[in-house]
Amino acid sequence: LPRRPPPFPSRFGAEIHHEHLVEALREEFRRPRDEASRSRALDLAFDAIRELGVQRQLLKRSSAATTRGVRVVVVTQVSEPKDEGRYVFPYHVHVTNLGDTTVQLLSREWLFTSSLGQVTVVQKGAPGVVGRQPVLAPGEAFEYVSYIQLDSPSGTLQGSYQMVCHSTAARFDAKIATAQLLMPTSRGE
């Protein structure tokens, strides 16, 4: 069986698969139109293509993982180089408690790797995030923005948050899935 391409996330909550998107575009452009309508449709098509490029880059710079009901979403930002040979990568983290019991983020562990092999480690057990150890009741979320400085225009980040379940005192690591750190290119990527 041929492998199906991954779905595109949709802001409307449903997944849009590549083949469905291609078919929808084909059907739309096969409909008969007058010259003015054809011109508007072409403008919309170019807008759609640009937006797909933006969404593609967003997917490259995003990660999501759920561990024991704790969902961690990371979106890395694009930033211009700070100094010659130094690159700053802001990242936005959103932690949501999807479980049915209150949890607390106690500490963190990060591994940042540049494309030149520079590794920056925030050791497991570094307390909290941005000076806080948030307590999240079911359905609650916490978000923050931070950054890392690397020696190359690309790299990766990954890690975990050390959590505790308030009702059982059980501790667990909530995974932070790998996300890419990318600088803009001349093609807008």
Side-chain angles (χ1 to χ4, degrees):
L1 290 172
R3 196 167 152 236
R4 185 175 193 173
F8 295 99
S10 168
R11 63 181 140 182
F12 305 111
E15 294 178 341
I16 302 171
H17 288 275
H18 175 79
E19 61 270 13
H20 297 140
L21 184 60
V22 169
E23 187 57 35
L25 288 171
R26 281 187 181 138
E27 286 178 23
E28 184 62 28
F29 282 96
R30 288 182 179 147
R31 289 194 304 164
R33 301 177 187 277
D34 60 37
E35 189 58 37
S37 295
R38 196 176 359 240
S39 178
R40 280 192 304 277
L42 190 56
D43 288 343
L44 287 173
F46 283 122
D47 288 345
I49 290 168
R50 277 189 288 278
E51 181 60 25
L52 285 173
V54 168
Q55 293 300 315
R56 182 175 155 255
Q57 289 307 308
L58 182 59
L59 282 173
K60 279 185 176 182
R61 295 183 289 107
S62 302
S63 72
T66 303
T67 309
R68 294 183 61 180
V70 175
R71 182 153 181 84
V72 179
V73 176
V74 177
V75 178
T76 65
Q77 306 295 311
V78 175
S79 177
E80 294 299 324
K82 182 177 171 90
D83 295 314
E84 188 63 35
R86 302 304 300 170
Y87 301 87
V88 176
F89 296 95
Y91 55 93
H92 180 248
V93 180
H94 190 92
V95 181
T96 307
N97 181 0
L98 302 175
D100 55 6
T101 185
T102 299
V103 296
Q104 182 174 13
L105 189 157
L106 299 175
S107 60
R108 69 192 185 280
E109 156 183 57
W110 284 100
L111 176 66
F112 302 94
T113 307
S114 81
S115 60
L116 297 177
Q118 172 196 5
V119 176
T120 303
V121 176
V122 176
Q123 293 293 331
K124 189 172 190 173
V129 290
V130 294
R132 304 209 27 218
Q133 292 182 313
V135 175
L136 303 174
E140 289 185 338
F142 177 78
E143 58 187 311
Y144 69 96
V145 176
S146 192
Y147 71 93
I148 183 67
Q149 190 174 18
L150 297 178
D151 64 353
S152 68
S154 63
T156 60
L157 62 75
Q158 61 186 321
S160 65
Y161 293 124
Q162 289 68 60
M163 310 291 293
V164 64
C165 175
H166 275 202
S167 64
T168 65
R171 293 176 180 244
F172 64 97
D173 288 350
K175 180 180 179 177
I176 303 167
T178 302
Q180 292 187 34
L181 302 165
L182 302 168
M183 282 287 132
T185 67
S186 58
R187 297 182 316 179
E189 291 184 8

